[in-house]
Short mmCIF file of all heavy atoms in Angstrom, two decimals:
data_model
loop_
_atom_site.label_atom_id
_atom_site.label_comp_id
_atom_site.label_asym_id
_atom_site.label_seq_id
_atom_site.Cartn_x
_atom_site.Cartn_y
_atom_site.Cartn_z
N ILE A 1 -12.18 5.80 -14.99
CA ILE A 1 -11.88 4.63 -14.14
C ILE A 1 -10.39 4.32 -14.16
O ILE A 1 -9.76 4.08 -13.12
CB ILE A 1 -12.69 3.41 -14.61
CG1 ILE A 1 -14.18 3.61 -14.31
CG2 ILE A 1 -12.19 2.13 -13.94
CD1 ILE A 1 -15.06 2.51 -14.86
N LYS A 2 -9.82 4.33 -15.34
CA LYS A 2 -8.39 4.01 -15.45
C LYS A 2 -7.55 5.04 -14.72
O LYS A 2 -6.60 4.69 -14.01
CB LYS A 2 -7.99 3.96 -16.93
CG LYS A 2 -6.54 3.57 -17.15
CD LYS A 2 -6.22 3.42 -18.63
CE LYS A 2 -4.77 2.98 -18.83
NZ LYS A 2 -4.44 2.83 -20.26
N SER A 3 -7.90 6.32 -14.87
CA SER A 3 -7.13 7.37 -14.22
C SER A 3 -7.19 7.24 -12.70
O SER A 3 -6.17 7.29 -12.01
CB SER A 3 -7.64 8.74 -14.65
OG SER A 3 -6.96 9.77 -13.97
N TYR A 4 -8.39 7.04 -12.16
CA TYR A 4 -8.52 6.95 -10.71
C TYR A 4 -7.95 5.63 -10.18
O TYR A 4 -7.37 5.59 -9.10
CB TYR A 4 -9.99 7.08 -10.31
CG TYR A 4 -10.16 7.38 -8.84
CD1 TYR A 4 -10.03 8.67 -8.36
CD2 TYR A 4 -10.42 6.36 -7.92
CE1 TYR A 4 -10.17 8.95 -7.01
CE2 TYR A 4 -10.55 6.62 -6.57
CZ TYR A 4 -10.42 7.93 -6.12
OH TYR A 4 -10.53 8.20 -4.79
N PHE A 5 -8.11 4.55 -10.94
CA PHE A 5 -7.56 3.26 -10.51
C PHE A 5 -6.05 3.32 -10.35
O PHE A 5 -5.48 2.76 -9.41
CB PHE A 5 -7.95 2.18 -11.52
CG PHE A 5 -7.44 0.81 -11.16
CD1 PHE A 5 -8.17 -0.03 -10.33
CD2 PHE A 5 -6.23 0.34 -11.65
CE1 PHE A 5 -7.71 -1.29 -10.00
CE2 PHE A 5 -5.75 -0.91 -11.32
CZ PHE A 5 -6.50 -1.73 -10.50
N LEU A 6 -5.37 3.99 -11.27
CA LEU A 6 -3.92 4.10 -11.19
C LEU A 6 -3.49 4.86 -9.96
O LEU A 6 -2.46 4.56 -9.34
CB LEU A 6 -3.37 4.77 -12.46
CG LEU A 6 -3.56 3.99 -13.77
CD1 LEU A 6 -3.00 4.78 -14.94
CD2 LEU A 6 -2.89 2.63 -13.68
N ILE A 7 -4.28 5.86 -9.56
CA ILE A 7 -3.97 6.62 -8.34
C ILE A 7 -4.08 5.71 -7.12
O ILE A 7 -3.20 5.67 -6.25
CB ILE A 7 -4.92 7.83 -8.21
CG1 ILE A 7 -4.67 8.82 -9.35
CG2 ILE A 7 -4.73 8.52 -6.87
CD1 ILE A 7 -5.66 9.95 -9.41
N VAL A 8 -5.17 4.95 -7.06
CA VAL A 8 -5.38 4.05 -5.92
C VAL A 8 -4.33 2.94 -5.90
O VAL A 8 -3.80 2.58 -4.84
CB VAL A 8 -6.80 3.46 -5.97
CG1 VAL A 8 -7.00 2.42 -4.86
CG2 VAL A 8 -7.84 4.56 -5.85
N ARG A 9 -4.02 2.38 -7.05
CA ARG A 9 -3.02 1.31 -7.10
C ARG A 9 -1.67 1.80 -6.60
O ARG A 9 -0.95 1.08 -5.90
CB ARG A 9 -2.90 0.79 -8.53
CG ARG A 9 -1.98 -0.43 -8.65
CD ARG A 9 -2.00 -1.01 -10.04
NE ARG A 9 -1.30 -0.14 -10.99
CZ ARG A 9 -1.20 -0.42 -12.29
NH1 ARG A 9 -1.77 -1.52 -12.78
NH2 ARG A 9 -0.56 0.41 -13.10
N LYS A 10 -1.31 3.00 -6.94
CA LYS A 10 -0.06 3.59 -6.46
C LYS A 10 -0.07 3.71 -4.94
O LYS A 10 0.93 3.42 -4.27
CB LYS A 10 0.16 4.94 -7.12
CG LYS A 10 1.46 5.62 -6.73
CD LYS A 10 1.61 6.95 -7.46
CE LYS A 10 2.91 7.65 -7.07
NZ LYS A 10 3.05 8.96 -7.76
N ASN A 11 -1.23 4.13 -4.40
CA ASN A 11 -1.34 4.25 -2.94
C ASN A 11 -1.22 2.89 -2.27
O ASN A 11 -0.52 2.74 -1.25
CB ASN A 11 -2.68 4.90 -2.57
CG ASN A 11 -2.79 6.34 -3.05
OD1 ASN A 11 -1.76 6.99 -3.31
ND2 ASN A 11 -4.00 6.84 -3.18
N ILE A 12 -1.91 1.89 -2.82
CA ILE A 12 -1.88 0.54 -2.22
C ILE A 12 -0.47 -0.05 -2.32
O ILE A 12 0.03 -0.68 -1.37
CB ILE A 12 -2.90 -0.37 -2.93
CG1 ILE A 12 -4.32 0.12 -2.65
CG2 ILE A 12 -2.73 -1.81 -2.49
CD1 ILE A 12 -4.73 0.04 -1.21
N GLN A 13 0.19 0.16 -3.44
CA GLN A 13 1.54 -0.38 -3.63
C GLN A 13 2.52 0.23 -2.63
O GLN A 13 3.50 -0.41 -2.25
CB GLN A 13 1.99 -0.10 -5.07
CG GLN A 13 3.29 -0.82 -5.45
CD GLN A 13 3.58 -0.70 -6.93
OE1 GLN A 13 2.77 -0.20 -7.70
NE2 GLN A 13 4.74 -1.17 -7.34
N ASP A 14 2.24 1.42 -2.18
CA ASP A 14 3.12 2.09 -1.21
C ASP A 14 2.72 1.77 0.22
O ASP A 14 3.59 1.60 1.09
CB ASP A 14 3.09 3.60 -1.44
CG ASP A 14 3.96 4.34 -0.44
OD1 ASP A 14 5.19 4.15 -0.48
OD2 ASP A 14 3.41 5.09 0.38
N SER A 15 1.43 1.68 0.51
CA SER A 15 0.97 1.56 1.90
C SER A 15 0.97 0.13 2.41
O SER A 15 1.20 -0.09 3.61
CB SER A 15 -0.44 2.15 2.03
OG SER A 15 -1.34 1.49 1.16
N VAL A 16 0.74 -0.86 1.54
CA VAL A 16 0.70 -2.25 2.02
C VAL A 16 2.04 -2.70 2.59
O VAL A 16 2.10 -3.26 3.69
CB VAL A 16 0.20 -3.19 0.90
CG1 VAL A 16 0.45 -4.66 1.28
CG2 VAL A 16 -1.27 -2.96 0.63
N PRO A 17 3.20 -2.52 1.89
CA PRO A 17 4.47 -2.90 2.51
C PRO A 17 4.73 -2.19 3.83
O PRO A 17 5.29 -2.79 4.77
CB PRO A 17 5.51 -2.51 1.44
CG PRO A 17 4.77 -2.56 0.16
CD PRO A 17 3.38 -2.09 0.49
N LYS A 18 4.32 -0.93 3.94
CA LYS A 18 4.51 -0.20 5.20
C LYS A 18 3.68 -0.83 6.31
O LYS A 18 4.15 -0.97 7.45
CB LYS A 18 4.14 1.26 5.00
CG LYS A 18 5.07 2.02 4.08
CD LYS A 18 4.64 3.46 3.90
CE LYS A 18 5.61 4.21 2.98
NZ LYS A 18 5.21 5.61 2.77
N ALA A 19 2.44 -1.20 5.98
CA ALA A 19 1.59 -1.83 6.99
C ALA A 19 2.15 -3.18 7.42
O ALA A 19 2.15 -3.52 8.61
CB ALA A 19 0.18 -2.00 6.43
N VAL A 20 2.65 -3.97 6.46
CA VAL A 20 3.23 -5.28 6.79
C VAL A 20 4.47 -5.12 7.67
O VAL A 20 4.66 -5.86 8.64
CB VAL A 20 3.56 -6.05 5.50
CG1 VAL A 20 4.29 -7.35 5.83
CG2 VAL A 20 2.31 -6.34 4.70
N MET A 21 5.31 -4.17 7.34
CA MET A 21 6.51 -3.95 8.15
C MET A 21 6.14 -3.53 9.57
O MET A 21 6.74 -4.00 10.55
CB MET A 21 7.38 -2.88 7.50
CG MET A 21 8.12 -3.33 6.26
SD MET A 21 9.29 -4.69 6.57
CE MET A 21 10.42 -3.89 7.71
N HIS A 22 5.14 -2.65 9.71
CA HIS A 22 4.80 -2.14 11.04
C HIS A 22 4.08 -3.18 11.89
O HIS A 22 4.44 -3.42 13.04
CB HIS A 22 3.93 -0.89 10.91
CG HIS A 22 3.47 -0.35 12.24
ND1 HIS A 22 4.32 0.28 13.13
CD2 HIS A 22 2.24 -0.38 12.85
CE1 HIS A 22 3.66 0.62 14.21
NE2 HIS A 22 2.39 0.24 14.06
N PHE A 23 3.07 -3.80 11.32
CA PHE A 23 2.22 -4.68 12.10
C PHE A 23 2.76 -6.10 12.23
O PHE A 23 2.35 -6.82 13.13
CB PHE A 23 0.81 -4.73 11.50
CG PHE A 23 0.01 -3.49 11.73
CD1 PHE A 23 0.03 -2.46 10.81
CD2 PHE A 23 -0.77 -3.33 12.86
CE1 PHE A 23 -0.69 -1.30 11.01
CE2 PHE A 23 -1.50 -2.19 13.09
CZ PHE A 23 -1.47 -1.15 12.16
N LEU A 24 3.66 -6.52 11.33
CA LEU A 24 4.15 -7.90 11.37
C LEU A 24 5.65 -7.95 11.62
O LEU A 24 6.09 -8.42 12.68
CB LEU A 24 3.81 -8.62 10.06
CG LEU A 24 4.26 -10.08 9.95
CD1 LEU A 24 3.62 -10.92 11.04
CD2 LEU A 24 3.92 -10.65 8.57
N VAL A 25 6.45 -7.46 10.68
CA VAL A 25 7.91 -7.64 10.74
C VAL A 25 8.50 -6.91 11.94
O VAL A 25 9.16 -7.51 12.80
CB VAL A 25 8.56 -7.18 9.43
CG1 VAL A 25 10.08 -7.37 9.51
CG2 VAL A 25 8.00 -7.97 8.25
N ASN A 26 8.29 -5.60 12.02
CA ASN A 26 8.89 -4.82 13.10
C ASN A 26 8.34 -5.20 14.46
O ASN A 26 9.06 -5.19 15.47
CB ASN A 26 8.70 -3.33 12.85
CG ASN A 26 9.53 -2.83 11.68
OD1 ASN A 26 10.47 -3.49 11.26
ND2 ASN A 26 9.17 -1.69 11.14
N HIS A 27 7.06 -5.52 14.51
CA HIS A 27 6.47 -5.91 15.79
C HIS A 27 7.10 -7.20 16.32
O HIS A 27 7.39 -7.33 17.51
CB HIS A 27 4.95 -6.09 15.64
CG HIS A 27 4.24 -6.33 16.93
ND1 HIS A 27 4.14 -7.58 17.50
CD2 HIS A 27 3.62 -5.47 17.78
CE1 HIS A 27 3.47 -7.51 18.64
NE2 HIS A 27 3.15 -6.23 18.84
N VAL A 28 7.31 -8.17 15.42
CA VAL A 28 7.95 -9.42 15.84
C VAL A 28 9.38 -9.17 16.27
O VAL A 28 9.85 -9.72 17.28
CB VAL A 28 7.89 -10.45 14.69
CG1 VAL A 28 8.74 -11.68 15.02
CG2 VAL A 28 6.45 -10.87 14.42
#
């Protein structure tokens, strides 16, 4: 669980700011 959770957390930490920039900041 710990090993796979760290992989997912890394993905979320990278993808969420990108999604916010694309769908909110850059769009505005």
Side-chain angles (χ1 to χ4, degrees):
I1 291 175
K2 183 175 182 180
S3 176
Y4 196 81
F5 181 87
L6 295 179
I7 295 173
V8 175
R9 186 174 72 181
K10 182 179 180 181
N11 295 339
I12 294 296
Q13 190 171 353
D14 178 65
S15 58
V16 168
K18 293 179 179 179
V20 174
M21 286 298 298
H22 177 72
F23 286 91
L24 180 60
V25 180
N26 290 342
H27 187 276
V28 171

